[in-house]
Amino acid sequence: MPVLELTPLQARRVALAAQGFAPRARGVQPKHLLAMLERLGALQLDSVNAVVRSHYLPLFSRLGAYSREALDQLAWGNRRQQRLFEAWGHEASLLPLSLQPLLRWRHARAAQGEGIYQQLARFGREQPEVLSRVLDQVASHGPVGAGALNTREEKAGPWWDWSQEKMALEWLFAAGEVCVASRRGFERLYDLPERVLPAQVLAQATPTEAEAQRGLLLHAAGALGVATEKDLRDYFRLSPADCKARLAELEEEGSLLRCSVRHWQPPAWCLPGLKVPRKVVASALLSPFDSLLWARERVERLFEFRYRLEFYVPAARRTYGYYVMPFLHGERIEARVDLRADRASDTLLVHAIHEESVGLDAQARDALGQQLRALADWLGLTHLALGG
């Protein structure tokens, strides 16, 4: 079978369509949220809150204004409403329940000290009595947060100076012994899996590691459209060895097809029956944690756009700003917008707009203005201030 060949523009269109960028329907319902969540496979969670929590933004970028409370219910509502769960997918993520069986192997490896931070793995080996005590407390009192279990009397130190109870909860979460039942603010509240996850999900058979990893790679291929091996493995953070072995198996059985993109050095893969859109019409402000931007090398290949986070860079050394949202217009990323939601003044502050080399034409400027106004309205902010 001849290898499918794509131009860079075709690859970009395939990627945008796979990520759900298309003309928006009016009136976003929970079914639209669920369909998009199944397509993307993961919403990355992060504590940075300069505009709004990161997991809310990808759906807004693709669907427009929707109820954040509806997403909360899908993630942390009662078990009849729940359609999402928290896990280590691509970093800490919200994922569709359909993927839960495909991540159990990761829990098993974490329980053996693999795939989690070395400090956390060491804690699990050295402090089994703390793990047992904390798990008993969750069973007796859950849902419960780390703060309620904290027995440390001294003041906490710098970031990541976790108490023993917090360390235990993070180990138990990585190992699948506890789940995130809900959140209080942004604090996780933990409980036992049987009290969080729907019974029908827990009853599903557990795939083998190889089966689960193949399933994750197929989902990643669908969400990326066309992707290199490194792109595919990054989506759900598989190891190079696991990814390469599963990729060979999927290619051999015909579930993934090898293809090529002009000017891409590594080979690429796609699902059979790939369709290349003639055009992608999209206009959106993107979260720094949007799945379209996860793999920085891929972003440079697709858009000729170099993007880096500057949250933890000293202010004097930042190039573009603290919270910078790329502006996708048509089929290009045309600007970077430094934003902050100032609740005290009821204002969405636009600190700066950095245009890319091509620059914004009149249509793009109008589209950006509309997106900024829509974002402010969705956030419940009355004012929009440029250069604030």
Side-chain angles (χ1 to χ4, degrees), residues 9 12-13 16 21 24 61 279-286 292 303 305 325-337 356 358-371:
L9 179 56
R12 186 187 306 168
R13 288 170 175 168
L16 287 170
F21 289 98
R24 297 170 178 175
S61 299
K279 188 177 183 180
V280 174
V281 179
S283 190
L285 289 160
L286 304 175
L292 183 67
F303 298 101
F305 179 80
M325 298 183 69
F327 173 55
L328 171 69
H329 181 65
E331 299 168 339
R332 297 183 58 84
I333 296 177
E334 297 200 346
R336 308 164 198 250
V337 187
E356 290 300 288
V358 175
L360 297 171
D361 61 20
Q363 184 186 48
R365 286 181 178 277
D366 182 62
L368 176 55
Q370 291 179 32
Q371 290 302 311

Side-chain angles (χ1 to χ4, degrees), residues 177-188:
E177 296 290 326
V178 299
C179 289
V180 177
S182 60
R183 284 186 176 252
R184 181 170 51 222
F186 202 65
E187 181 190 14
R188 289 171 170 166

Side-chain angles (χ1 to χ4, degrees), residues 182-260:
S182 60
R183 284 186 176 252
R184 181 170 51 222
F186 202 65
E187 181 190 14
R188 289 171 170 166
L189 301 182
Y190 300 88
D191 209 338
L192 300 179
E194 57 267 30
R195 298 203 293 243
V196 176
L197 299 174
Q200 63 269 28
V201 173
L202 292 172
Q204 291 181 37
T206 299
T208 66
E209 281 197 7
E211 290 169 341
Q213 291 164 1
R214 286 195 293 269
L216 291 173
L217 281 175
L218 288 173
H219 201 110
L224 293 171
V226 57
T228 66
E229 179 272 330
K230 191 173 181 180
D231 297 339
L232 289 167
R233 97 166 97 105
D234 177 75
Y235 207 80
F236 290 110
R237 295 296 170 91
L238 301 181
S239 72
D242 287 334
C243 183
K244 289 174 182 177
R246 304 294 84 80
L247 196 54
E249 295 162 3
L250 289 167
E251 185 178 7
E252 183 177 1
E253 70 185 30
S255 297
L256 280 180
L257 302 181
R258 190 180 290 254
C259 60
S260 68

Side-chain angles (χ1 to χ4, degrees), residues 59-372:
L59 296 177
F60 174 77
S61 299
R62 290 156 177 79
L63 299 173
Y66 73 94
S67 167
R68 297 196 294 280
E69 290 74 19
L71 180 59
D72 291 344
Q73 287 301 314
L74 293 174
W76 302 293
N78 61 53
R79 294 173 78 184
R80 289 180 300 172
Q81 298 171 303
Q82 185 185 6
R83 297 293 184 274
L84 306 173
F85 73 107
E86 286 195 42
W88 289 103
H90 179 94
E91 301 297 328
S93 305
L94 284 175
L95 304 102
L97 284 170
S98 59
L99 296 184
Q100 196 276 338
L102 301 185
L103 291 171
R104 293 175 188 167
W105 65 275
R106 186 166 282 168
H107 295 323
R109 285 194 182 182
Q112 298 168 5
E114 301 177 30
I116 55 178
Y117 297 114
Q118 291 185 2
Q119 183 182 4
L120 203 56
R122 184 169 62 251
F123 180 88
R125 292 192 301 269
E126 297 175 354
Q127 302 290 342
E129 70 286 350
V130 179
L131 298 179
S132 179
R133 171 171 60 81
V134 169
L135 184 58
D136 287 344
Q137 289 175 308
V138 172
S140 300
H141 306 294
V144 63
L149 302 180
N150 186 15
T151 58
R152 183 169 64 180
E153 296 183 358
E154 70 273 17
K155 186 177 180 179
W159 195 44
W160 294 105
D161 180 22
W162 287 347
S163 68
Q164 283 196 329
E165 290 76 16
K166 173 63 175 175
M167 292 282 286
L169 283 168
E170 290 297 326
W171 189 97
L172 292 166
F173 173 64
E177 296 290 326
V178 299
C179 289
V180 177
S182 60
R183 284 186 176 252
R184 181 170 51 222
F186 202 65
E187 181 190 14
R188 289 171 170 166
L189 301 182
Y190 300 88
D191 209 338
L192 300 179
E194 57 267 30
R195 298 203 293 243
V196 176
L197 299 174
Q200 63 269 28
V201 173
L202 292 172
Q204 291 181 37
T206 299
T208 66
E209 281 197 7
E211 290 169 341
Q213 291 164 1
R214 286 195 293 269
L216 291 173
L217 281 175
L218 288 173
H219 201 110
L224 293 171
V226 57
T228 66
E229 179 272 330
K230 191 173 181 180
D231 297 339
L232 289 167
R233 97 166 97 105
D234 177 75
Y235 207 80
F236 290 110
R237 295 296 170 91
L238 301 181
S239 72
D242 287 334
C243 183
K244 289 174 182 177
R246 304 294 84 80
L247 196 54
E249 295 162 3
L250 289 167
E251 185 178 7
E252 183 177 1
E253 70 185 30
S255 297
L256 280 180
L257 302 181
R258 190 180 290 254
C259 60
S260 68
V261 180
R262 193 182 306 159
H263 305 313
W264 286 22
Q265 290 295 339
W269 281 264
C270 63
L271 295 174
L274 179 71
K275 295 182 179 180
V276 180
R278 292 184 177 180
K279 188 177 183 180
V280 174
V281 179
S283 190
L285 289 160
L286 304 175
S287 161
F289 302 100
D290 194 290
S291 50
L292 183 67
L293 305 176
W294 281 345
R296 305 301 190 213
E297 292 178 5
R298 173 180 172 83
V299 173
E300 292 187 39
R301 274 185 273 116
L302 284 171
F303 298 101
E304 299 177 353
F305 179 80
R306 189 177 188 276
Y307 184 59
R308 298 293 184 271
L309 303 180
E310 296 186 309
F311 305 134
Y312 309 114
V313 175
R317 292 171 52 195
R318 291 178 192 141
T319 303
Y320 298 105
Y322 177 78
Y323 194 87
V324 175
M325 298 183 69
F327 173 55
L328 171 69
H329 181 65
E331 299 168 339
R332 297 183 58 84
I333 296 177
E334 297 200 346
R336 308 164 198 250
V337 187
D338 182 13
L339 291 170
R340 179 175 289 275
D342 187 348
R343 301 289 177 182
S345 64
D346 195 22
T347 302
L348 180 63
L349 299 174
V350 183
H351 295 306
I353 298 173
H354 304 277
E355 299 183 25
E356 290 300 288
S357 57
V358 175
L360 297 171
D361 61 20
Q363 184 186 48
R365 286 181 178 277
D366 182 62
L368 176 55
Q370 291 179 32
Q371 290 302 311
L372 289 168

